[in-house]
Amino acid sequence: MKLFYANTIWKRQMRSLMETALVLAFGSLLLGIIATIFDKVADIGLSVDYYFPDKCKSFLGVALMIQVLISGILLGSEEEENKTHSFIFRLPISRTRWILERLLAIILSLMIYFTLLIFITHLIGHLNHIWHLNEAINTSLSQIFTLRNVLSAFTNFCICACVASIVKKVLPAAISALIVIFIIIIVLILISQPLPDMKHGHNYYPEIFFSAFQMTLYFTITPLLAIGLFTLSISKREGE
Amino acid sequence: MDDGIVVETKNLGRRFGRHYAVHDLTWQVRRGAIYGLLGLNGAGKTTTFRLLMGLLRPTNGEARMLGLDPQRQGVELKRRVGYVGESPCFYEWMTVYELFAFVAHYRKENWDAAFAKSLAERFALEGSKKLSTLSKGMRAKVSLCIAIAFRPELLILDEPTGGLDPVARREFFEGVLAEYQTPDRTILISSHLINEVSGIVDQIGILHEGNLLMDCSTEEFLSKVKVMRLRFAGDPPPHFTAEGILRYRVDGREGRAVTLNYCEGETENKIKSAGAESVEVMDLNLEDAFVEFISERKSP
């Protein structure tokens, strides 16, 4: 059986996957850098002991799950934004097959994303080693390019993307932007409760500390938002 | 549905919120017909077509096309039906020929690549051009090509010539559709350019606010809707009524009356007996007849 993304679509889809993976990788990288800056600020005693991306390092599982969902959404964005699903549904293809093939594309994107991520991490680490960068930079780079760090930073990126996408569907752009900014601020404030026993950058594991609220937020709200949006994106029918 | 009926609906309805876009539509279209579904904007034409294609779920009633249920047998139905919607959306990064290849993949049993190419040439479409660079009219042409190139048993065209220039429109109606049409193929067409389809449709249905007001042959419709010039002994009266007259107005030194149920001889006699001195019956083209028919029902 040939796949939905077969023939001419396939080449484009692969390109699209690569683009998505690159965008995600560099998006995560950027957030990783921000995380590190927050780390440094905290380390020099400016009482900024909350550093939003860094705190998410423990939530590797959630990050993975959201990564899957977001990849699907991004992959489906062409269908959604250009309304090409209305064109697809005029062709003799069943919705089940369409959904299954999109899921397959999500898995592929996930694989490519991680491959790229690991590749970039190793490449930078290798270059760092070759060029004998100074200790400070070396430390920063090693902090930035740990897989966990990048992934955890990406979790936050996912939250914002989820909220933005959902809001975008129902409200004008300006209002959406305001709401998204508002939500980001609220989330930052809520997550920024100090963690008394946590030493920055040394403990990444869930057993260290979870506040009940953070658990609720990450394990319930975020996946629900992501799943909601994903369901929306795959169940949308023309005119409905 | 082997009795020559290709489209059949029973009490088909679709509601959006409180508003019924299509209301209790009971309707049939025979095989081989070129059926024009006419109506004002918002009459329910597009919704009807989408319900038939299974792109919308009905609120009530049922529809069958080629004997198939659009909701349950959608894949089989789409294999046999070509559909051109109002605003075609494609993968913008594809070229015209790549799109053809993509569609051909799903319609491989029936896809006629040579016919598709000839259609593209006829419409002056450049196969190597990306869809994102095409104008609205060119996209409409692409949409028509992919809907016709697999020679479907039933072709549904929802405002198919929107955006086409007059030359391309004529080429489509007089060239492409004429070539496509055979006695066993059926075409359902909606267009706001009624005069353009008037030459090809042999059956018409008039939808208004979701209700089917008329379903007959074009000939029958044109024979019923007439405008008459009435002359009177003196000046035409400001108001005039007679059996069968729907509307009357003074037009210079004559009266102008519209009937929706003209019966040769009988209608003239009734008008004359109501006071007119002479009656001159004028034939209308489909667009004028439609306007006269529908204007009585238009909301103020």
Side-chain angles (χ1 to χ4, degrees):
Chain A
M1 186 183 78
K2 284 191 177 176
L3 294 169
F4 170 65
Y5 291 106
N7 294 340
T8 50
I9 281 273
W10 185 254
K11 286 183 282 178
R12 168 69 188 196
Q13 201 60 41
M14 289 310 288
R15 208 180 96 188
S16 181
L17 287 170
M18 297 295 279
E19 285 169 0
T20 305
L22 275 172
V23 167
L24 298 188
F26 284 105
S28 304
L29 186 64
L30 188 65
L31 284 167
I33 292 167
I34 294 168
T36 309
I37 293 168
F38 270 90
D39 266 352
K40 293 295 164 201
V41 172
D43 284 346
I44 59 172
L46 289 180
S47 304
V48 190
D49 56 354
Y50 58 91
Y51 38 98
F52 177 51
D54 194 49
K55 202 183 281 185
C56 309
K57 285 168 183 167
S58 318
F59 300 91
L60 187 62
V62 182
L64 281 169
M65 183 170 66
I66 293 170
Q67 164 65 46
V68 175
L69 295 168
I70 288 291
S71 303
I73 291 158
L74 289 174
L75 275 175
S77 63
E78 185 165 21
E79 268 87 2
E80 298 310 315
E81 284 173 20
N82 295 332
K83 295 185 177 170
T84 38
H85 56 276
S86 70
F87 161 65
I88 294 296
F89 289 144
R90 288 168 196 177
L91 295 173
I93 179 168
S94 76
R95 290 178 64 78
T96 315
R97 185 176 156 192
W98 182 65
I99 290 169
L100 285 176
E101 291 191 20
R102 278 181 77 170
L103 286 171
L104 180 72
I106 291 166
I107 294 164
L108 277 171
S109 100
L110 185 69
M111 286 164 62
I112 293 172
Y113 169 65
F114 278 113
T115 310
L116 266 177
L117 208 63
I118 293 163
F119 174 74
I120 292 171
T121 305
H122 280 267
L123 181 71
I124 300 286
H126 188 61
L127 291 177
N128 189 21
H129 178 70
I130 292 170
W131 293 338
H132 303 291
L133 298 176
N134 67 38
E135 188 64 23
I137 295 173
N138 204 5
T139 309
S140 296
L141 284 173
S142 66
Q143 268 191 300
I144 293 166
F145 292 107
T146 56
L147 186 59
R148 265 199 302 271
N149 198 358
V150 177
L151 279 173
S152 62
F154 182 70
T155 310
N156 306 290
F157 170 78
C158 290
I159 298 169
C160 300
C162 277
V163 176
S165 304
I166 290 169
V167 174
K168 193 179 139 196
K169 277 187 185 294
V170 286
L171 290 170
I175 300 173
S176 306
L178 285 174
I179 290 176
V180 170
I181 291 167
F182 176 74
I183 290 171
I184 291 171
I185 291 169
I186 293 290
V187 170
L188 279 169
I189 291 169
L190 291 174
I191 296 185
S192 65
Q193 303 307 310
L195 304 178
D197 298 320
M198 188 169 175
K199 294 189 174 183
H200 314 307
H202 296 292
N203 276 311
Y204 300 126
Y205 298 100
E207 61 268 26
I208 300 296
F209 182 86
F210 281 132
S211 76
F213 179 77
Q214 284 166 334
M215 297 245 328
T216 310
L217 186 76
Y218 278 104
F219 287 106
T220 312
I221 298 173
T222 311
L224 275 179
L225 286 177
I227 290 164
L229 183 58
F230 182 67
T231 313
L232 222 158
S233 80
I234 61 175
S235 66
K236 194 172 173 185
R237 273 187 162 202
E238 185 185 11
E240 285 189 303
Chain B
M1 210 179 285
D2 287 333
D3 52 352
I5 305 295
V6 289
V7 177
E8 186 169 28
T9 67
K10 280 181 191 161
N11 304 110
L12 186 68
R14 171 70 199 206
R15 198 179 60 207
F16 294 103
R18 288 181 176 180
H19 171 70
Y20 266 97
V22 175
H23 192 244
D24 277 345
L25 180 65
T26 299
W27 180 47
Q28 286 186 339
V29 178
R30 293 198 159 272
R31 187 179 296 279
I34 305 183
Y35 195 104
L37 194 59
L38 312 178
L40 302 172
N41 291 338
K45 306 182 294 288
T46 299
T47 306
T48 304
F49 287 161
R50 286 181 173 176
L51 287 165
L52 291 175
M53 286 300 291
L55 299 171
L56 283 177
R57 288 191 187 90
T59 309
N60 57 274
E62 58 177 292
R64 292 187 87 78
M65 278 211 297
L66 302 168
L68 301 166
D69 181 341
Q71 293 301 322
R72 293 193 184 89
Q73 296 161 294
V75 175
E76 176 57 23
L77 185 97
K78 286 165 194 165
R79 206 166 273 146
R80 296 164 63 186
V81 178
Y83 176 57
V84 177
E86 271 182 304
S87 43
C89 303
F90 308 113
Y91 289 105
E92 299 293 317
W93 46 269
M94 280 186 180
T95 66
V96 174
Y97 282 165
E98 278 175 345
L99 181 76
F100 283 7
F102 178 67
V103 176
H105 174 71
Y106 295 103
R107 301 198 179 282
K108 46 183 167 270
E109 309 92 32
N110 309 324
W111 184 261
D112 185 341
F115 185 38
K117 202 173 173 191
S118 79
L119 284 170
E121 282 165 7
R122 250 173 143 159
F123 282 136
L125 284 170
E126 285 179 47
S128 58
K129 264 200 164 179
K130 286 201 179 228
L131 291 160
S132 57
T133 64
L134 298 184
S135 66
K136 191 181 168 194
M138 297 299 251
R139 294 165 74 86
K141 290 175 183 177
V142 172
S143 191
L144 289 169
C145 288
I146 57 175
I148 294 173
F150 68 104
R151 300 183 193 272
E153 288 172 58
L154 172 62
L155 182 61
I156 297 182
L157 305 167
D158 188 8
E159 302 282 357
T161 54
L164 292 193
D165 58 69
V167 176
R169 282 205 296 264
R170 184 165 293 184
E171 169 62 14
F172 175 67
F173 284 121
E174 293 176 7
V176 177
L177 272 194
E179 189 180 315
Y180 162 80
Q181 176 62 5
T182 58
D184 60 338
R185 291 193 188 132
T186 312
I187 301 174
L188 274 181
I189 184 167
S190 81
S191 176
H192 64 280
L193 301 167
I194 294 170
N195 268 346
E196 282 184 346
V197 299
S198 66
I200 61 161
V201 294
D202 47 32
Q203 293 277 317
I204 61 159
I206 297 180
L207 267 179
H208 185 64
E209 294 175 352
N211 297 295
L212 189 66
L213 301 181
M214 179 67 74
D215 178 24
C216 63
S217 70
T218 312
E219 206 173 84
E220 189 185 343
F221 178 66
L222 291 176
S223 71
K224 279 182 178 173
V225 182
K226 299 283 184 189
V227 167
M228 290 167 289
R229 281 185 186 151
L230 315 183
R231 290 188 187 86
F232 297 87
D235 287 336
H239 302 288
F240 178 79
T241 53
E243 195 184 328
I245 294 290
L246 181 74
R247 266 195 317 280
Y248 169 83
R249 68 178 166 85
V250 176
D251 187 11
R253 300 181 68 183
E254 299 171 340
R256 194 173 184 277
V258 177
T259 179
L260 298 184
N261 203 12
Y262 177 73
C263 187
E264 194 174 354
E266 195 182 316
T267 306
E268 285 98 323
N269 289 339
K270 283 176 184 167
I271 291 170
K272 281 179 183 169
S273 63
E277 197 171 62
S278 70
V279 180
E280 185 189 345
V281 181
M282 297 189 299
D283 289 332
L284 298 174
N285 61 31
L286 186 58
E287 182 169 302
D288 289 339
F290 169 75
V291 170
E292 295 294 351
F293 181 84
I294 210 74
S295 51
E296 187 60 24
R297 292 163 173 86
K298 263 168 74 173
S299 306

